[in-house]
Amino acid sequence: MNRLKVLITSDGYRDEINGVAQIAAICADEMRRRRIDVRVLTLSDKKFNYKNGDDYYLQSYRSAFWPEWKKSFVRKHAFIDEIVAWKPDIIHAHTEGSTGIIANMISDACGAPLVMTSHTDYAKYVFGRFHNTFPLTIASIVWGYFAYKHASRVILPSEKALTFDQHKFIKDKATVLNNGINLHKLQKSVPPGERRELMRKYGIRDNKKILLVVARLAKEKKITDILEWTKKLLEKDPDIQLVIVGDGLYRQKLEKQAEKLKIKDAVTFTGRVSPERVYRFYNIGTLFVSASDFEVNSLSYIEAMACGLPIICRNDPCLKGILENGVNGYSFENGDEYGRHVMQLLENEDMRLEMGENAREMSARFSDRHFVDSMLEIYGEIITKQVEVLYNDSL
């Protein structure tokens, strides 16, 4: 029996620390574990094209307007020809950018059906700086129509994504599927010596009052709000510490804000931490906090749960099925609610530990195995339907 051949495309992959890149890597790893024949087409940070096993990297550049995005002008290359000749059974594009465009080209060339996952509210991310206007809404709808026009199925990571303007014309072929994570890589203990060294390195006190943020440091994550609220919390309990794990273009602004608020000594910026080592910070955290309302289906929320942390997050539709108030954490509408929930859990260890254990148990529903099981079911439906169409057309 021939092995299923799956091409995964994503502008970011193992060298990128963001949710989309991690999901592409999780899919590739879990499918390869099942001996599915997987190839990945992605973008390199280097000035040349190269190949690493069955992973193909195309040279790219950073746009001046959106420097967090990688883009590529490559449309013809021996790597692309090689993938077309390989004839994948199905193509799964995890970004609508450069590799998404190439995925459409490969689909046309070899006849493989195309699946796309829409991970991001692009109207908010790309066009949001121009504010909400009628032309913006029209632009988002038109862009979405052409972006997903040739996809056999569009996977959305949450029901929240169904409301995005860019998805107006794809609801008849949309499937909601929450993202998955590799629980095994996260649920590892940190030996006491390694824990002490980590605390020493970053100047963190081991006092069970550590508020943890794990995020790309960007404006839309609203970490500025967390810093403002931390100042108020420190007036109630000066032992509280805020640890911000991640990096990004907004880091310098956040560091200046902490200094201006005179809370610099209570805030730690770790900088870039690889996905393979981020579990160590979840292990030293007391509570996971987020003020973002930008998320579609945040991996960091689920990762924190998997590591036994109660989560305190701004109320948002993306929390449906993830956060149950009073069970594994709390949602909040404003800074006062945020502060009240934080203090309640810091002052009640039994409640905090119970919520943490609930969070750990609830994270099992988001395992990479369950995630890929559902993904393969979707692939099977699409391939079967395509075979049926080809058969009927031949009659």
Side-chain angles (χ1 to χ4, degrees), residues 192-228:
E194 186 177 339
R195 180 186 177 92
R196 286 193 297 271
E197 175 58 25
L198 188 67
M199 301 293 230
R200 185 201 62 76
K201 178 179 178 180
Y202 292 99
I204 304 169
R205 290 162 288 159
D206 199 352
N207 62 1
K208 297 183 181 178
K209 294 182 179 180
I210 299 168
L211 308 183
L212 188 71
V213 172
V214 180
R216 174 174 50 86
L217 304 191
K219 182 179 180 180
E220 62 270 12
K221 300 296 185 176
K222 297 188 175 179
I223 301 170
T224 51
D225 288 347
I226 298 290
L227 289 170
E228 290 282 353

Side-chain angles (χ1 to χ4, degrees), residues 115-143:
V115 176
M116 298 185 73
T117 295
S118 178
H119 289 278
T120 305
D121 182 356
Y122 282 98
K124 199 169 187 178
Y125 181 62
V126 180
F127 306 119
R129 65 188 67 191
F130 304 117
H131 307 294
N132 292 321
T133 61
F134 180 70
L136 166 59
T137 299
I138 297 302
S140 301
I141 292 171
V142 171
W143 178 83

Side-chain angles (χ1 to χ4, degrees), residues 78-214:
F79 288 167
I80 297 173
D81 294 338
E82 186 177 323
I83 292 170
V84 171
W86 173 61
K87 293 184 178 179
D89 296 308
I90 198 156
I91 300 167
H92 192 155
H94 283 273
T95 45
E96 296 85 348
S98 298
T99 57
I101 294 169
I102 298 171
N104 274 271
M105 294 168 53
I106 294 173
S107 176
D108 287 342
C110 66
L114 175 66
V115 176
M116 298 185 73
T117 295
S118 178
H119 289 278
T120 305
D121 182 356
Y122 282 98
K124 199 169 187 178
Y125 181 62
V126 180
F127 306 119
R129 65 188 67 191
F130 304 117
H131 307 294
N132 292 321
T133 61
F134 180 70
L136 166 59
T137 299
I138 297 302
S140 301
I141 292 171
V142 171
W143 178 83
Y145 172 76
F146 286 104
Y148 310 115
K149 182 178 180 181
H150 299 294
S152 298
R153 189 75 59 91
V154 179
I155 296 174
L156 306 179
S158 68
E159 291 184 14
K160 175 184 177 180
L162 288 168
T163 66
F164 297 165
D165 291 333
Q166 70 201 48
H167 299 147
K168 186 174 180 63
F169 290 111
I170 57 96
K171 292 181 181 178
D172 61 330
K173 57 183 178 181
T175 297
V176 175
L177 176 61
N178 292 133
N179 290 326
I181 61 172
N182 187 316
L183 295 174
H184 176 70
K185 287 184 178 180
L186 283 163
Q187 293 176 332
K188 297 186 292 186
S189 61
V190 178
E194 186 177 339
R195 180 186 177 92
R196 286 193 297 271
E197 175 58 25
L198 188 67
M199 301 293 230
R200 185 201 62 76
K201 178 179 178 180
Y202 292 99
I204 304 169
R205 290 162 288 159
D206 199 352
N207 62 1
K208 297 183 181 178
K209 294 182 179 180
I210 299 168
L211 308 183
L212 188 71
V213 172
V214 180

Side-chain angles (χ1 to χ4, degrees), residues 102-362:
I102 298 171
N104 274 271
M105 294 168 53
I106 294 173
S107 176
D108 287 342
C110 66
L114 175 66
V115 176
M116 298 185 73
T117 295
S118 178
H119 289 278
T120 305
D121 182 356
Y122 282 98
K124 199 169 187 178
Y125 181 62
V126 180
F127 306 119
R129 65 188 67 191
F130 304 117
H131 307 294
N132 292 321
T133 61
F134 180 70
L136 166 59
T137 299
I138 297 302
S140 301
I141 292 171
V142 171
W143 178 83
Y145 172 76
F146 286 104
Y148 310 115
K149 182 178 180 181
H150 299 294
S152 298
R153 189 75 59 91
V154 179
I155 296 174
L156 306 179
S158 68
E159 291 184 14
K160 175 184 177 180
L162 288 168
T163 66
F164 297 165
D165 291 333
Q166 70 201 48
H167 299 147
K168 186 174 180 63
F169 290 111
I170 57 96
K171 292 181 181 178
D172 61 330
K173 57 183 178 181
T175 297
V176 175
L177 176 61
N178 292 133
N179 290 326
I181 61 172
N182 187 316
L183 295 174
H184 176 70
K185 287 184 178 180
L186 283 163
Q187 293 176 332
K188 297 186 292 186
S189 61
V190 178
E194 186 177 339
R195 180 186 177 92
R196 286 193 297 271
E197 175 58 25
L198 188 67
M199 301 293 230
R200 185 201 62 76
K201 178 179 178 180
Y202 292 99
I204 304 169
R205 290 162 288 159
D206 199 352
N207 62 1
K208 297 183 181 178
K209 294 182 179 180
I210 299 168
L211 308 183
L212 188 71
V213 172
V214 180
R216 174 174 50 86
L217 304 191
K219 182 179 180 180
E220 62 270 12
K221 300 296 185 176
K222 297 188 175 179
I223 301 170
T224 51
D225 288 347
I226 298 290
L227 289 170
E228 290 282 353
W229 301 334
T230 297
K231 180 176 177 61
K232 294 180 180 179
L233 286 171
L234 285 167
E235 293 171 1
K236 299 176 181 179
D237 187 341
D239 289 331
I240 287 174
Q241 303 170 81
L242 179 64
V243 177
I244 300 174
V245 179
D247 210 346
L249 300 176
Y250 221 59
R251 177 174 174 175
Q252 189 174 17
K253 181 177 179 64
L254 295 172
E255 289 177 332
K256 287 181 178 178
Q257 182 187 3
E259 192 168 353
K260 185 176 180 180
L261 291 169
K262 298 181 180 179
I263 60 171
K264 185 178 178 182
D265 291 342
V267 181
T268 297
F269 291 88
T270 70
R272 186 183 190 275
V273 176
S274 69
E276 291 75 23
R277 301 183 72 80
V278 73
Y279 76 94
R280 302 187 309 160
F281 290 93
Y282 287 121
N283 267 267
I284 67 171
T286 308
L287 301 174
F288 175 89
V289 298
S290 172
S292 174
D293 58 4
F294 176 75
E295 311 307 316
V296 180
N297 187 229
S298 174
L299 290 185
S300 60
Y301 297 179
I302 303 169
E303 290 173 348
M305 289 167 55
C307 295
L309 292 187
I311 61 177
I312 300 180
C313 305
R314 191 188 293 272
N315 192 26
D316 188 81
C318 78
L319 294 173
K320 184 177 180 180
I322 295 175
L323 174 58
E324 294 184 26
N325 270 301
V327 178
N328 64 325
Y330 291 106
S331 62
F332 62 87
E333 298 286 352
N334 53 53
D336 289 339
E337 282 190 12
Y338 169 83
R340 187 164 63 250
H341 292 318
V342 168
M343 294 306 300
Q344 182 181 8
L345 290 179
L346 290 183
E347 292 171 352
N348 191 327
E349 185 173 11
D350 289 341
M351 179 188 292
R352 187 177 75 248
L353 293 176
E354 181 180 353
M355 284 192 181
E357 186 55 36
N358 292 339
R360 187 188 299 274
E361 291 175 2
M362 292 168 67

Side-chain angles (χ1 to χ4, degrees), residues 6-22:
V6 179
L7 172 65
I8 294 173
T9 72
S10 175
D11 289 355
Y13 190 40
R14 300 188 190 281
D15 57 334
E16 293 281 315
I17 300 181
N18 62 61
V20 178
Q22 289 184 55

